[in-house]
């Protein structure tokens, strides 16, 4: 009679693997709860009156929609501020900034990554060097410059040349179209695409713009998604710049609307409701493009 004896070392390794896997999964759950906690508190508090928000603040009830729960705070938001107007302004400004940013930054990166010309490394170094400058150091000089720039406006059926971009839509878009980090991200991704594809397209009679449009860009989906997200977020969250250059209420983005809730009596439930509504589009955008975003960072963002 043959007796089968289990190999103790192999059984020990299997048990250690299971313990390690359990610890990893537990760590992931704890991290997810840590980062999701503030968002959960935000959305739950937006459904409660102020008194209950403060009453539940030191217990687990702060993260659970229990008690006097309603959508009254959301209704009050629309009564207190022109939220629909602010929302449409932010959507338009963000989408136009993303569209122009994708075009301008990808074209610049294509010229740096695929074309051969003297001084391109120096230009690339200069572009990357601008990343060390915080926006706050450039804000005041930029306000002075945009106030001196000309712009064509419609006067009836005639075009009229005016000076100054203050209190306009273009002052919230054009200064942020070109972005050094977006150029660098596109550049890193474009260098990973084989240049033999360019040579094959050139042999078929394609010019550089056709190679950019039909060869390189269709292969750069993850980089496009990443740049779109990284361009959309600052445009959507912009607060300091619109505060400096926009005076008319009909031109203001959603972030400036938060000021309305800190005048006279502050209602924290309404603040939470307003913050929830301006957070949801960002969450939806990231969830829609998270795979492409992570893939682009992994494949191009960490390259040397």
């Amino acid at each position: 009679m043959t007796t089968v004896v289990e190999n103790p070392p192999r059984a020990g390794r299997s048990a250690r693997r299971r313990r390690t896997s359990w610890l990893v999964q537990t760590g992931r759950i704890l991290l997810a709860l840590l980062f999701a906690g503030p968002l959960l508190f935000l959305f739950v508090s937006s459904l409660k009156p102020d008194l209950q928000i403060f009453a539940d603040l030191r217990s687990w009830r702060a993260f659970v929609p229990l008690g006097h729960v309603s959508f009254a705070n959301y209704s009050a938001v629309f009564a207190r501020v022109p939220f629909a107007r602010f929302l449409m302004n932010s959507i338009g400004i963000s989408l136009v900034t993303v569209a122009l940013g994708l075009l301008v930054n990808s074209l610049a990166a294509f010229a740096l990554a695929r074309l051969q010309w003297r001084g391109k490394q120096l230009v690339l170094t200069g572009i990357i060097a601008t990343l060390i400058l915080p926006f706050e150091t450039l804000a005041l000089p930029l306000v002075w410059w945009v106030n001196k720039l000309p712009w064509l406006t419609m006067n009836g059926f005639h075009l009229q040349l005016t000076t100054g971009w203050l209190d306009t839509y273009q002052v919230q878009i054009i200064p942020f179209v070109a972005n050094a980090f977006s150029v660098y991200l596109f550049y890193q991704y474009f260098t990973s695409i084989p240049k033999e594809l360019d040579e094959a397209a050139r042999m078929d009679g394609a010019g550089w713009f056709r190679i950019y449009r039909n060869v390189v860009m269709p292969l750069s989906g993850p980089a496009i998604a990443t740049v779109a997200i990284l361009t959309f977020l600052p445009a959507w969250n912009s607060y300091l710049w619109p505060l400096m250059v926009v005076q008319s209420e009909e031109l203001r983005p959603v972030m400036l609307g938060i000021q309305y809730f800190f005048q006279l009596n502050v209602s924290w439930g309404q603040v939470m409701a307003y913050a929830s509504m301006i957070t949801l589009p960002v969450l939806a955008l990231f969830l829609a493009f998270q795979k492409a975003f992570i893939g682009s960072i992994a494949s191009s963002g960490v390259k040397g």
Side-chain angles (χ1 to χ4, degrees):
M1 182 175 178
T2 304
T3 303
V4 179
V5 180
E6 186 180 358
N7 191 352
R10 182 176 298 176
R13 286 196 298 269
S14 178
R16 283 195 298 271
R17 256 190 241 108
R18 285 196 296 270
R19 285 197 299 270
T20 303
S21 177
W22 182 84
L23 289 174
V24 169
Q25 293 299 327
T26 304
R28 289 176 178 176
I29 293 173
L30 291 175
L31 282 175
L33 291 175
L34 177 65
F35 286 104
L39 290 176
L40 184 60
F41 173 77
L42 174 69
F43 294 136
V44 169
S45 297
S46 69
L47 302 173
K48 299 179 180 180
D50 289 359
L51 292 177
Q52 184 161 354
I53 292 175
F54 289 104
D56 297 342
L57 200 56
R58 296 189 178 183
S59 70
W60 57 268
R61 294 172 63 91
F63 301 94
V64 181
L66 296 175
H68 301 286
V69 175
S70 70
F71 290 96
N73 289 325
Y74 290 89
S75 302
V77 165
F78 287 94
R80 193 163 182 174
V81 301
F83 179 77
R85 182 66 182 181
F86 292 168
L87 180 65
M88 294 306 298
N89 287 341
S90 281
I91 290 174
I93 291 168
S94 301
L95 291 181
V96 173
T97 304
V98 169
L100 293 178
L102 288 174
L103 177 64
V104 171
N105 296 315
S106 62
L107 282 171
F110 180 83
L112 291 167
R114 316 299 283 190
L115 276 62
Q116 297 298 324
W117 47 280
R118 295 176 62 182
K120 72 174 185 177
Q121 291 299 325
L122 183 62
V123 172
L124 178 62
T125 302
I127 291 173
I128 297 174
T130 61
L131 292 172
I132 67 174
L133 296 174
F135 174 73
E136 289 76 10
T137 62
L138 305 175
L140 289 178
L142 192 57
V143 170
W144 187 88
W145 277 108
V146 297
N147 194 39
K148 300 295 182 181
L149 292 174
W151 190 259
L152 288 174
T153 58
M154 289 294 297
N155 185 10
F157 295 98
H158 302 284
L159 288 173
Q160 182 179 357
L161 187 66
T162 60
T163 302
W165 290 11
L166 297 182
D167 206 25
T168 59
Y169 284 117
Q170 66 265 19
V171 77
Q172 303 178 67
I173 298 172
I174 295 178
F176 306 100
V177 169
N179 182 272
F181 185 74
S182 298
V183 172
Y184 181 70
L185 188 63
F186 270 127
Y187 172 82
Q188 288 289 84
Y189 202 92
F190 289 168
T191 54
S192 67
I193 299 175
K195 290 190 176 182
E196 288 78 7
L197 298 175
D198 298 0
E199 298 171 2
R202 296 281 288 177
M203 292 180 63
D204 290 338
W208 283 116
F209 185 76
R210 188 176 174 186
I211 294 173
Y212 159 82
R213 184 185 62 189
N214 295 340
V215 177
V216 174
M217 289 303 285
L219 298 174
S220 304
I224 293 172
T226 303
V227 171
I229 292 174
L230 295 180
T231 305
F232 180 87
L233 289 177
W236 184 266
N237 294 327
S238 181
Y239 178 82
L240 176 62
W241 181 248
L243 188 65
M244 296 174 66
V245 299
V246 177
Q247 290 81 39
S248 301
E249 187 177 73
E250 62 270 16
L251 300 177
R252 292 175 180 171
V254 289
M255 287 300 162
L256 291 188
I258 202 72
Q259 300 177 92
Y260 288 66
F261 298 94
F262 294 97
Q263 300 170 1
L264 301 177
N265 57 325
V266 178
S267 174
W268 289 103
Q270 295 177 21
V271 171
M272 297 296 181
Y274 189 85
S276 297
M277 289 193 289
I278 64 179
T279 302
L280 286 175
V282 178
L283 285 177
L285 180 72
F286 179 76
L287 291 175
F289 294 102
Q290 61 176 330
K291 289 185 179 180
F293 179 80
I294 296 171
S296 178
I297 293 296
S299 61
S300 65
V302 298
K303 287 177 59 179

